[in-house]
Amino acid sequence: MKQIGDHPMSNTALVISVTVSLLITIFFFILCLETQISDKGIHVRFYPFHLSFRFYPWESINKAYVRKYSPIMEYGGWGIRYGLMGNGRALNVSGNKGLQLEFNNDQKLLIGTHKPEELRQVLNQICKEKVYKD
């Protein structure tokens, strides 16, 4: 076998680098943001960071609406993010549309979605005029 370069990588280092690369790739494939909306409230889970759903009852929510946002400018990217300039927290995987929740205690949470129209319909059906503001 012919070596390339002055300092070839050892077999151990090669196995470690390939393993780490595969683990990172698998991690990105298992990322999953799940949102469930019911008449009791909103359940959210960002797997594998949240193993169980986080529950936000309607009584704690002042406003809920679908909006377009800038992930990089408002939150510094995707993932579990803390907003810049008082935008609150965000849970997003990709895209630029999400469910904005504004709570009674003035905190905010943005939950990313790839189905904004379906989300609007569900909010209209469940919330009626309770908290949904378009």
Side-chain angles (χ1 to χ4, degrees):
M1 182 180 294
K2 183 177 177 182
Q3 293 181 354
I4 299 174
D6 294 336
H7 305 287
M9 184 182 284
S10 70
N11 287 343
T12 304
L14 180 62
V15 168
I16 290 171
S17 65
V18 168
T19 302
V20 167
S21 297
L22 284 173
L23 289 174
I24 290 171
T25 302
I26 290 169
F27 175 76
F28 282 111
F29 275 108
I30 64 170
L31 275 176
C32 180
L33 178 60
E34 298 175 76
T35 307
Q36 298 173 355
I37 301 175
S38 71
D39 58 347
K40 292 181 179 24
I42 299 174
H43 293 81
V44 180
R45 178 171 74 165
F46 195 2
Y47 186 83
F49 300 110
H50 302 147
L51 297 179
S52 60
F53 282 88
R54 307 281 166 101
F55 176 64
Y56 302 100
W58 289 120
E59 293 79 28
S60 69
I61 299 170
N62 186 36
K63 281 170 128 178
Y65 54 95
V66 178
R67 74 174 183 97
K68 187 174 181 177
Y69 66 99
S70 173
I72 294 175
M73 295 300 289
E74 292 182 49
Y75 297 98
W78 294 269
I80 299 175
R81 308 303 268 176
Y82 295 91
L84 310 170
M85 302 175 290
N87 292 330
R89 292 182 307 132
L91 303 173
N92 53 19
V93 178
S94 64
N96 65 350
K97 293 187 177 66
L99 172 61
Q100 180 71 62
L101 302 178
E102 296 180 13
F103 297 97
N104 296 333
N105 62 3
D106 293 329
Q107 291 185 348
K108 296 179 182 179
L109 174 64
L110 183 108
I111 304 165
T113 185
H114 286 292
K115 300 177 180 179
E117 292 308 316
E118 185 177 321
L119 188 54
R120 278 190 184 98
Q121 290 175 358
V122 170
L123 287 174
N124 279 329
Q125 288 173 355
I126 291 179
C127 302
K128 311 240 178 342
E129 293 301 316
K130 187 174 185 178
V131 296
Y132 177 61
K133 313 278 194 270
D134 197 11

